[in-house]
Coordinates of all heavy atoms in Angstrom, one line a residue:
G1 N 16.2 -8.2 12.1 CA 15.0 -7.6 12.8 C 13.7 -7.6 12.1 O 12.7 -6.8 12.3
K2 N 13.6 -8.5 11.0 CA 12.3 -8.5 10.3 C 12.2 -9.9 9.6 O 13.1 -10.6 9.4 CB 12.4 -7.4 9.1 CG 13.5 -7.7 8.1 CD 13.5 -6.7 6.9 CE 14.6 -7.0 6.0 NZ 14.7 -6.1 4.9
S3 N 11.0 -10.3 9.4 CA 10.7 -11.6 8.7 C 10.8 -11.3 7.2 O 11.0 -10.2 6.7 CB 9.4 -12.1 9.1 OG 8.4 -11.2 8.8
M4 N 10.6 -12.4 6.4 CA 10.8 -12.3 5.0 C 9.8 -11.4 4.4 O 8.6 -11.4 4.7 CB 10.8 -13.7 4.3 CG 11.1 -13.6 2.8 SD 11.4 -15.2 2.2 CE 13.1 -15.6 2.7
E5 N 10.2 -10.5 3.5 CA 9.3 -9.5 3.0 C 9.4 -9.6 1.3 O 10.4 -10.1 0.8 CB 9.7 -8.1 3.3 CG 9.4 -7.9 4.8 CD 9.8 -6.4 5.1 OE1 10.8 -5.8 4.5 OE2 9.2 -6.0 6.1
L6 N 8.3 -9.2 0.7 CA 8.4 -9.1 -0.8 C 8.0 -7.7 -1.2 O 7.0 -7.1 -0.8 CB 7.3 -10.1 -1.4 CG 7.1 -10.0 -2.9 CD1 8.3 -10.6 -3.6 CD2 5.9 -10.8 -3.3
G7 N 8.9 -7.1 -2.1 CA 8.6 -5.8 -2.7 C 7.5 -5.9 -3.7 O 7.7 -6.7 -4.7
V8 N 6.3 -5.3 -3.5 CA 5.3 -5.5 -4.5 C 5.0 -4.2 -5.3 O 5.2 -3.1 -4.8 CB 3.9 -5.9 -3.8 CG1 4.0 -7.3 -3.2 CG2 3.7 -4.8 -2.6
S9 N 4.5 -4.4 -6.6 CA 4.3 -3.3 -7.4 C 3.5 -3.9 -8.6 O 3.4 -5.0 -8.8 CB 5.6 -2.6 -7.9 OG 5.4 -2.0 -9.1
E10 N 2.7 -3.0 -9.3 CA 2.0 -3.4 -10.5 C 3.0 -3.9 -11.6 O 2.6 -4.6 -12.5 CB 1.1 -2.3 -11.1 CG -0.4 -2.7 -10.8 CD -1.2 -1.6 -11.3 OE1 -1.3 -0.5 -10.8 OE2 -2.0 -1.9 -12.2
D11 N 4.3 -3.6 -11.5 CA 5.2 -3.9 -12.5 C 5.5 -5.4 -12.5 O 6.2 -5.9 -13.3 CB 6.5 -3.2 -12.3 CG 6.3 -1.6 -12.5 OD1 5.4 -1.2 -13.2 OD2 7.1 -0.8 -12.0
M12 N 5.0 -6.0 -11.4 CA 5.2 -7.6 -11.3 C 4.5 -8.4 -12.4 O 4.9 -9.4 -12.7 CB 4.8 -8.1 -10.0 CG 5.5 -7.4 -8.8 SD 4.9 -8.1 -7.3 CE 5.9 -9.6 -7.0
L13 N 3.5 -7.6 -12.9 CA 2.7 -8.4 -14.0 C 3.6 -8.7 -15.2 O 4.4 -7.7 -15.6 CB 1.5 -7.6 -14.4 CG 0.3 -7.5 -13.4 CD1 -0.6 -6.4 -13.7 CD2 -0.4 -8.9 -13.3
S14 N 3.4 -9.8 -15.8 CA 4.3 -10.2 -17.0 C 5.7 -10.5 -16.6 O 6.5 -10.7 -17.4 CB 4.3 -9.1 -18.2 OG 5.2 -8.1 -17.9
R15 N 6.0 -10.7 -15.3 CA 7.3 -11.1 -14.9 C 7.4 -12.5 -14.3 O 6.5 -13.0 -13.8 CB 7.8 -10.1 -13.9 CG 7.9 -8.6 -14.4 CD 9.0 -8.5 -15.4 NE 10.4 -8.9 -15.0 CZ 11.2 -8.2 -14.4 NH1 10.8 -6.8 -14.0 NH2 12.4 -8.6 -14.1
V16 N 8.6 -13.1 -14.4 CA 8.9 -14.5 -13.8 C 9.9 -14.4 -12.7 O 10.9 -13.7 -12.8 CB 9.4 -15.4 -14.9 CG1 9.5 -16.8 -14.4 CG2 8.5 -15.4 -16.1
F17 N 9.6 -14.9 -11.5 CA 10.4 -14.7 -10.3 C 10.8 -16.1 -9.9 O 10.1 -17.2 -10.1 CB 9.7 -14.0 -9.1 CG 9.3 -12.6 -9.5 CD1 8.1 -12.4 -10.1 CD2 10.1 -11.6 -9.3 CE1 7.6 -11.2 -10.4 CE2 9.8 -10.3 -9.6 CZ 8.5 -10.1 -10.2
D18 N 11.8 -16.3 -9.0 CA 12.1 -17.6 -8.4 C 11.3 -17.7 -7.2 O 10.5 -16.8 -6.8 CB 13.6 -17.7 -8.1 CG 14.1 -16.7 -7.0 OD1 13.3 -16.0 -6.4 OD2 15.3 -16.6 -6.8
G19 N 11.5 -18.7 -6.4 CA 10.6 -19.0 -5.3 C 10.7 -17.9 -4.1 O 10.0 -17.9 -3.2
L20 N 11.8 -17.1 -4.2 CA 12.0 -16.2 -3.2 C 11.8 -14.6 -3.7 O 12.2 -13.7 -3.0 CB 13.5 -16.2 -2.6 CG 13.7 -17.5 -1.7 CD1 15.1 -17.6 -1.3 CD2 12.8 -17.5 -0.6
G21 N 11.2 -14.6 -4.9 CA 10.8 -13.2 -5.4 C 11.8 -12.5 -6.1 O 11.8 -11.3 -6.2
H22 N 13.0 -13.2 -6.5 CA 14.0 -12.6 -7.4 C 13.7 -12.8 -8.8 O 13.4 -13.9 -9.2 CB 15.4 -13.1 -7.0 CG 15.7 -12.9 -5.6 ND1 16.0 -14.0 -4.8 CD2 15.7 -11.8 -4.8 CE1 16.3 -13.5 -3.5 NE2 16.1 -12.3 -3.5
P23 N 13.7 -11.8 -9.6 CA 13.4 -11.9 -11.1 C 14.4 -13.0 -11.8 O 15.6 -12.9 -11.5 CB 13.7 -10.5 -11.7 CG 13.6 -9.6 -10.5 CD 14.2 -10.3 -9.4
I24 N 13.8 -13.9 -12.6 CA 14.8 -14.9 -13.3 C 14.5 -14.8 -14.7 O 14.8 -15.7 -15.5 CB 14.5 -16.3 -12.7 CG1 13.1 -16.7 -12.7 CG2 15.2 -16.4 -11.4 CD1 12.8 -18.1 -12.4
D25 N 13.8 -13.7 -15.3 CA 13.5 -13.7 -16.6 C 14.4 -12.7 -17.4 O 14.1 -12.3 -18.6 CB 12.0 -13.2 -16.8 CG 11.7 -11.8 -16.1 OD1 12.7 -11.3 -15.5 OD2 10.5 -11.3 -16.1
G26 N 15.5 -12.3 -16.7 CA 16.4 -11.5 -17.5 C 16.1 -9.9 -17.4 O 16.8 -9.1 -17.9
G27 N 14.9 -9.6 -16.8 CA 14.5 -8.2 -16.6 C 15.1 -7.6 -15.5 O 15.8 -8.2 -14.7
P28 N 14.8 -6.3 -15.3 CA 15.4 -5.6 -14.1 C 14.7 -6.0 -12.8 O 13.6 -6.5 -12.8 CB 15.2 -4.1 -14.6 CG 13.9 -4.2 -15.4 CD 13.9 -5.4 -16.2
E29 N 15.3 -5.6 -11.8 CA 14.7 -5.7 -10.4 C 13.4 -4.8 -10.4 O 13.4 -3.8 -11.0 CB 15.6 -5.2 -9.3 CG 16.8 -6.2 -9.1 CD 16.3 -7.4 -8.3 OE1 15.4 -7.3 -7.6 OE2 17.1 -8.4 -8.4
I30 N 12.5 -5.3 -9.6 CA 11.2 -4.6 -9.4 C 11.5 -3.3 -8.5 O 12.2 -3.6 -7.4 CB 10.1 -5.4 -8.8 CG1 9.8 -6.5 -9.8 CG2 8.9 -4.7 -8.5 CD1 9.0 -6.1 -11.0
L31 N 11.0 -2.1 -8.8 CA 11.0 -1.0 -7.9 C 9.8 -1.1 -7.1 O 8.7 -0.8 -7.5 CB 11.2 0.3 -8.6 CG 12.5 0.5 -9.4 CD1 12.4 1.7 -10.2 CD2 13.7 0.5 -8.4
P32 N 9.7 -1.5 -5.8 CA 8.5 -1.8 -5.1 C 7.8 -0.4 -4.6 O 8.5 0.5 -4.3 CB 8.9 -2.5 -3.9 CG 10.4 -2.2 -3.7 CD 11.0 -1.8 -5.0
D33 N 6.5 -0.7 -4.7 CA 5.6 0.5 -4.1 C 5.7 0.4 -2.6 O 5.6 1.3 -1.9 CB 4.1 0.4 -4.6 CG 4.1 0.8 -6.1 OD1 5.0 1.3 -6.6 OD2 3.0 0.5 -6.7
E34 N 5.8 -0.9 -2.1 CA 5.9 -1.1 -0.7 C 6.4 -2.5 -0.5 O 6.5 -3.3 -1.4 CB 4.5 -1.1 0.0 CG 3.4 -2.0 -0.6 CD 2.1 -1.8 0.2 OE1 2.0 -2.3 1.3 OE2 1.2 -1.2 -0.4
R35 N 6.9 -2.8 0.8 CA 7.4 -4.1 1.1 C 6.4 -4.7 2.1 O 5.9 -4.1 3.0 CB 8.7 -4.0 1.7 CG 9.8 -3.4 0.8 CD 11.2 -3.6 1.1 NE 11.6 -5.0 1.1 CZ 12.1 -5.6 -0.1 NH1 12.1 -4.8 -1.2 NH2 12.4 -6.7 -0.1
R36 N 6.0 -5.9 1.8 CA 5.0 -6.6 2.7 C 5.6 -7.9 3.3 O 6.3 -8.7 2.6 CB 3.8 -7.0 1.8 CG 3.1 -5.7 1.4 CD 1.7 -6.2 0.8 NE 0.8 -5.0 0.7 CZ -0.5 -5.2 0.5 NH1 -1.1 -6.4 0.5 NH2 -1.2 -4.1 0.5
D37 N 5.2 -8.1 4.5 CA 5.6 -9.5 5.2 C 4.9 -10.6 4.4 O 3.6 -10.4 4.2 CB 5.1 -9.4 6.6 CG 5.4 -10.6 7.4 OD1 5.6 -11.7 6.8 OD2 5.5 -10.5 8.6
I38 N 5.6 -11.6 4.1 CA 5.0 -12.7 3.1 C 4.0 -13.5 4.0 O 3.2 -14.3 3.3 CB 6.0 -13.5 2.5 CG1 6.7 -14.3 3.6 CG2 6.9 -12.8 1.6 CD1 7.5 -15.5 2.9
N39 N 4.0 -13.4 5.3 CA 3.0 -14.2 6.1 C 1.6 -13.6 6.1 O 0.6 -14.3 6.4 CB 3.5 -14.4 7.5 CG 4.8 -15.2 7.5 OD1 4.8 -16.3 7.0 ND2 5.9 -14.7 8.0
G40 N 1.5 -12.4 5.6 CA 0.2 -11.7 5.5 C -0.6 -11.6 6.7 O 0.0 -11.9 7.8
L41 N -1.8 -11.1 6.6 CA -2.5 -10.9 7.9 C -3.9 -11.7 7.6 O -4.4 -11.6 6.5 CB -2.9 -9.5 8.2 CG -1.8 -8.5 8.6 CD1 -2.2 -7.0 8.4 CD2 -1.3 -8.8 10.0
P42 N -4.4 -12.3 8.5 CA -5.7 -13.1 8.4 C -6.7 -12.1 8.1 O -6.8 -11.0 8.6 CB -5.9 -13.9 9.7 CG -4.8 -13.4 10.6 CD -3.8 -12.6 10.0
M43 N -7.7 -12.6 7.2 CA -8.8 -11.7 6.8 C -9.8 -11.9 7.9 O -10.3 -13.1 8.3 CB -9.3 -12.3 5.4 CG -10.0 -11.2 4.6 SD -10.8 -12.0 3.2 CE -9.4 -12.3 2.0
N44 N -10.3 -10.8 8.4 CA -11.4 -10.8 9.4 C -12.7 -11.5 8.8 O -13.2 -11.1 7.8 CB -11.7 -9.5 9.7 CG -12.7 -9.3 10.8 OD1 -13.4 -10.3 11.1 ND2 -12.8 -8.2 11.5
P45 N -13.1 -12.6 9.4 CA -14.3 -13.3 8.8 C -15.5 -12.4 8.6 O -16.2 -12.5 7.7 CB -14.6 -14.3 9.9 CG -13.3 -14.5 10.6 CD -12.7 -13.2 10.6
A46 N -15.7 -11.4 9.5 CA -16.8 -10.5 9.4 C -16.6 -9.5 8.2 O -17.6 -9.0 7.7 CB -16.9 -9.7 10.6
A47 N -15.4 -9.4 7.6 CA -15.2 -8.5 6.5 C -15.3 -9.2 5.2 O -15.2 -8.7 4.1 CB -13.8 -7.9 6.7
R48 N -15.5 -10.6 5.3 CA -15.5 -11.5 4.1 C -16.8 -11.2 3.3 O -17.9 -11.1 4.0 CB -15.4 -12.9 4.3 CG -13.9 -13.3 4.6 CD -13.8 -14.8 4.8 NE -12.6 -15.3 5.1 CZ -11.7 -15.6 4.1 NH1 -12.1 -15.5 2.9 NH2 -10.5 -15.9 4.5

């Protein structure tokens, strides 16, 4: 019932992930602040 999402947080800095967003550097899983659809939303041209 959902498309692919990525859990995002500032803790992602200094980390290495595989192509699907899973940590591969031996560190712990990220505790996300929020989960976002990876397809994103187009930026409104007038807001650029």
Side-chain angles (χ1 to χ4, degrees):
K2 60 180 183 182
S3 55
M4 187 170 280
E5 295 176 333
L6 176 68
V8 289
S9 152
E10 248 182 298
D11 296 337
M12 298 179 87
L13 289 166
S14 81
R15 298 296 303 275
V16 185
F17 301 89
D18 67 8
L20 293 175
H22 304 122
I24 53 171
D25 54 3
E29 287 285 335
I30 296 290
L31 294 172
D33 290 346
E34 56 178 285
R35 300 194 71 80
R36 292 191 165 199
D37 184 335
I38 65 165
N39 295 303
L41 290 169
M43 207 185 288
N44 183 339
R48 283 183 179 271

